[in-house]
Amino acid sequence: MTAALFLLAAASAFPMADLRVGVAEPTFAPAALRLSDILGRIYGTTVPTGVVGNVRFEKTDWTDDQRYEIRTTGEAVTLRAAGAKGASYAAADFLHALGYRCFAPTAAWEILPANPPRTVTLERNETPVFR
């Protein structure tokens, strides 16, 4: 029932303030730590990572480990995935929506948005095919 409500609820604006990344699934921890680090650099603050957060990762029972979903509400950003790849892709897509760009894995090729959005509204369900 919860999943059905999640899919039917329309996305709404989430205020990008007092951010905390929540992750309970151990395989999602690397994506959560990277997301928290980059969000902190984008917004010039510390973004803690713990089990509970308002930017949260949720594990699904989807069979495709690359599939992910991102949805915002006034209370949270939820990144849903079946596996670590999907969690990583969801985090990257969320950061891209904020204006973050990374063209190579070094600081010289990373672009932080000069004026990051104060609110974000997203509703995405993606299945990348990077096999």
Side-chain angles (χ1 to χ4, degrees):
M1 183 80 165
T2 303
L5 290 176
F6 183 83
L7 294 173
L8 295 176
S12 56
F14 172 74
M16 297 298 291
D18 190 30
L19 300 173
R20 298 170 316 283
V21 176
V23 60
E25 173 61 38
T27 59
F28 292 178
L33 290 171
R34 181 172 186 273
L35 179 61
S36 127
D37 171 57
I38 296 170
L39 284 173
R41 289 188 285 129
I42 289 172
Y43 288 98
T45 187
T46 300
V47 178
T49 303
V51 175
V52 178
N54 56 5
V55 178
R56 57 183 173 230
F57 286 85
E58 289 183 358
K59 183 157 178 61
T60 68
D61 59 358
W62 298 328
T63 56
D64 188 340
D65 69 340
Q66 295 185 65
R67 181 178 171 193
Y68 66 88
E69 188 172 80
I70 305 169
R71 183 165 321 246
T72 59
T73 65
E75 295 78 38
V77 176
T78 304
L79 299 98
R80 302 177 75 223
K85 283 182 188 175
S88 178
Y89 297 159
D93 194 0
F94 179 58
L95 290 168
H96 190 269
L98 299 176
Y100 174 80
R101 303 294 185 266
C102 185
F103 299 101
T106 66
W109 289 92
E110 179 181 68
I111 298 172
L112 299 174
N115 295 305
R118 295 295 162 208
T119 64
V120 65
T121 304
L122 287 173
E123 186 171 352
R124 295 192 180 157
N125 188 329
E126 302 287 342
T127 305
V129 187
F130 296 127
R131 297 186 206 291

